């Protein structure tokens, strides 16, 4: 049964800063072309690190989106979030819209928050003593501050908080925003994630836990290879992805352009291990099933899955098995891709930009590829759209994201009839 317009949630705006481009159009152009955004790290000297490559938002100008004085008082992750949010607000034409500001909210997630600030201020402490630590350090590093600063930037006085659930963070933020709109607590929500963890301490931590790819420092374009038999770890990326979500009633009332309808979302936990996914994929299986049930959908109605697909041996194998369990025979026909092969893994921002990929796939009838898929893995034997995008009608698309701590999140978008 169709929900009333006040409970149906649509996407009216999108904003993104990524290693493939500093706006949605350039990002999508890179994704559909199978372009690679991975290179040798430039934000610091990576010479002494086992992994020396990453996905950086090359050319990002913080002062384009924030007052220069204010941008200096915010961590890079917040700067990226403000850029993505302002783009989304502009895309949704919210600037001149008559809004009840207390029904305009914001949930911007981050897996880590101000890691660069923590690193730099710690150096100041040990080199110069406590008086050298910035008085702005705490607001710069806390993981809710992106959401708070975005709200100030766009005048959103409704529900506002940050979510921290590792690499599932942005997808959880989108799901929470949907719930608030459907519960009647907000008309409009900004939702997504931001991350800027391409730092010395970030790389050291992930490298030492053996999570990152180390065999492709001389060939960065080959390093992120989800589902490929030669994958040996993920590649870290940075950026932001933000959506404007509205109740259908509110969007229609103001004559908004609608990109897609968000029809399903769910969240579960493996309750298994702090970093490894449950080998049986039980948590992700239940998450996808609940997202489908929420939208009243059958597995065969999904035309495209943007997989979590991190390029780590365990994750890709587990996600493949979970898709097989949920989709049955349809698992071998539905097209699946991991755009992390091109962007690297944006951690808490991944779900934001990958939601945008799903929406653009629906709008343009293009399923993006998984690049660097060269050597098939017998345990990863589904259709991952190897290396070249495919033209196909996409009416319904799913995005999965998983995080350390056993977090699972899924969202489903559907074409909105115009």
């Amino acid at each position: 049964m169709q929900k009333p317009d006040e409970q149906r949630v649509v996407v009216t705006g999108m904003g993104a800063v990524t290693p493939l481009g500093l706006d949605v159009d350039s990002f999508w152009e890179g994704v559909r072309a199978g372009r690679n955004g991975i290179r040798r790290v430039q934000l610091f000297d990576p010479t002494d690190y086992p992994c020396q490559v990453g996905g950086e938002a090359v050319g990002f100008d913080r002062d384009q989106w924030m007052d220069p004085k204010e941008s200096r008082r915010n961590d890079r992750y917040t700067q990226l979030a403000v850029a993505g949010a302002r783009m989304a607000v502009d895309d949704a034409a919210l600037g001149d819209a008559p809004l009840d500001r207390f029904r305009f909210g914001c949930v911007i997630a981050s897996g880590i928050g101000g890691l660069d600030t923590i690193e730099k201020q710690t150096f100041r402490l040990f080199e110069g003593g406590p008086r050298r630590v910035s008085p702005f350090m705490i607001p710069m590093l806390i993981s809710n501050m992106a959401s708070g600063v975005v709200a100030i930037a766009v005048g959103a006085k409704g529900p506002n908080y940050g979510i921290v659930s590792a690499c599932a963070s942005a997808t959880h933020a989108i799901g929470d925003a949907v719930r608030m709109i459907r519960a009647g607590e907000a008309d409009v929500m900004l939702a997504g994630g931001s991350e800027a963890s391409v730092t010395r301490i970030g790389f050291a931590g992930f490298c030492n836990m053996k999570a990152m790819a180390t065999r492709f420092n001389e060939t960065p374009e080959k390093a992120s290879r989800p589902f490929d038999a030669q994958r040996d770890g993920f590649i870290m990326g940075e950026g932001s992805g933000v959506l404007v979500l509205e109740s259908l009633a509110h969007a229609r009332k103001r004559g908004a352009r609608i990109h897609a309808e968000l029809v399903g979302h769910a969240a579960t936990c493996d309750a298994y291990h702090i970093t490894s996914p449950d080998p049986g994929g039980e948590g992700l299986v239940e998450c996808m099933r609940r997202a489908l049930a929420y939208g009243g959908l059958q597995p065969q109605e999904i035309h495209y899955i943007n997989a979590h697909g991190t390029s780590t041996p365990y994750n890709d194998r587990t996600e493949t098995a979970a898709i097989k369990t949920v989709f049955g025979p349809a698992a071998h026909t539905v097209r699946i891709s991991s755009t992390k092969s091109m962007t690297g893994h944006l951690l808490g921002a991944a779900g934001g930009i990958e939601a945008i990929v799903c929406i653009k796939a629906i709008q343009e009838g293009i399923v993006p590829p998984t690049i660097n898929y060269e050597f098939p893995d017998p345990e990863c034997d589904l259709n991952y759209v190897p290396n070249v995008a495919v033209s196909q009608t996409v009416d319904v698309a799913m995005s999965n994201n998983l995080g350390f701590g056993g977090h699972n999140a899924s969202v489903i978008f559907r074409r909105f009839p115009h």
Side-chain angles (χ1 to χ4, degrees):
M1 184 170 141
Q2 188 80 291
K3 292 181 174 66
D5 286 1
E6 291 80 6
Q7 292 182 353
R8 294 176 67 186
V9 178
V10 294
V11 180
T12 58
M14 301 184 288
V17 181
T18 79
L20 281 176
L22 305 181
D23 55 57
V24 169
D25 288 344
S26 57
F27 166 53
W28 173 245
E29 180 186 357
V31 166
R32 63 181 291 174
R35 196 172 300 138
N36 199 295
I38 310 299
R39 65 172 193 168
R40 183 175 174 83
V41 168
Q42 301 296 308
L43 289 170
F44 64 91
D45 181 1
T47 301
D48 295 332
Y49 292 77
C51 178
Q52 299 172 9
V53 303
E56 298 172 325
V58 178
F60 174 69
D61 180 4
R62 65 187 188 184
D63 296 339
Q64 178 184 351
W65 303 100
M66 302 179 72
D67 176 87
K69 182 178 179 181
E70 288 302 312
S71 69
R72 289 194 298 273
R73 293 177 174 177
N74 282 282
D75 188 86
R76 183 173 173 90
Y77 101 97
T78 297
Q79 297 161 4
L80 293 164
V82 170
R86 285 193 181 277
M87 285 182 222
V89 165
D90 289 346
D91 184 43
L94 282 178
D96 298 323
L99 300 177
D100 179 343
R101 294 286 163 174
F102 287 98
R103 294 184 61 79
F104 176 18
C106 184
V107 185
I108 304 296
S110 182
I112 298 178
L115 193 59
D116 186 55
T117 293
I118 294 171
E119 178 180 297
K120 288 177 178 175
Q121 296 303 316
T122 301
F123 273 114
R124 281 192 174 195
L125 173 65
F126 288 115
E127 291 176 354
R131 291 184 179 274
R132 291 290 297 154
V133 173
S134 170
F136 296 102
M137 184 194 77
I138 298 300
M140 288 174 74
L141 68 87
I142 53 180
S143 298
N144 70 302
M145 194 50 63
S147 203
V149 172
V150 164
I152 293 168
V154 302
K157 297 184 178 184
N160 185 289
Y161 54 93
I163 287 179
V164 180
S165 50
C167 307
S169 298
T171 311
H172 281 153
I174 292 168
D176 269 22
V178 171
R179 278 194 290 271
M180 279 185 278
I181 293 171
R182 286 182 170 161
E185 297 174 14
D187 298 321
V188 185
M189 294 292 297
L190 277 166
S194 181
E195 204 78 84
S197 50
V198 182
T199 66
R200 290 173 290 182
I201 191 69
F203 264 57
F206 278 114
C207 282
N208 289 346
M209 68 184 298
K210 310 297 184 185
M212 298 179 73
T214 59
R215 295 193 289 112
F216 301 93
N217 290 331
E218 302 305 316
T219 53
E221 70 282 358
K222 297 285 188 181
S224 186
R225 43 197 317 113
F227 306 108
D228 183 86
Q230 292 194 359
R231 66 192 185 279
D232 73 328
F234 82 90
I235 295 297
M236 197 184 301
E238 64 165 4
S240 66
V242 181
L243 304 180
V244 173
L245 302 173
E246 295 187 55
S247 72
L248 178 56
H250 190 272
R252 280 178 165 160
K253 183 177 179 180
R254 71 180 189 90
R257 176 185 57 177
I258 294 172
H259 292 299
E261 183 173 3
L262 202 159
V263 294
H265 68 93
T268 63
C269 181
D270 288 349
Y272 171 76
H273 189 271
I274 59 171
T275 58
S276 295
D278 180 348
E282 181 183 22
L284 180 56
V285 166
E286 184 66 15
C287 190
M288 287 189 283
R289 283 177 171 164
R290 289 187 177 205
L292 288 164
Y294 197 98
L297 295 163
Q298 296 300 315
Q300 60 269 23
E301 294 180 82
I302 302 293
H303 295 150
Y304 168 56
I305 301 172
N306 187 284
H308 186 54
T310 57
S311 187
T312 57
Y314 290 122
N315 178 88
D316 294 0
R317 189 164 63 232
T318 299
E319 188 171 14
T320 296
I323 291 171
K324 288 179 179 178
T325 299
V326 174
F327 284 78
H332 292 275
T333 55
V334 64
R335 286 195 161 100
I336 304 162
S337 67
S338 172
T339 47
K340 290 181 179 73
S341 59
M342 296 171 269
T343 65
H345 189 356
L346 273 62
L347 307 183
I353 66 167
E354 289 160 14
I356 291 171
V357 170
C358 287
I359 294 164
K360 295 298 288 185
I362 289 169
Q363 289 179 327
E364 299 199 7
I366 298 287
V367 175
T370 304
I371 67 170
N372 294 324
Y373 188 83
E374 299 175 297
F375 302 97
D377 179 344
E379 293 186 277
C380 297
D381 58 351
L382 300 179
N383 183 351
Y384 305 113
V385 193
N387 303 310
V388 179
V390 173
S391 295
Q392 174 192 313
T393 297
V394 179
D395 291 324
V396 188
M398 170 185 279
S399 176
N400 291 330
N401 284 103
L402 290 63
F404 283 175
H407 307 300
N408 304 294
S410 298
V411 289
I412 302 174
F413 299 91
R414 182 168 59 198
R415 180 185 306 279
F416 186 81
H418 293 280

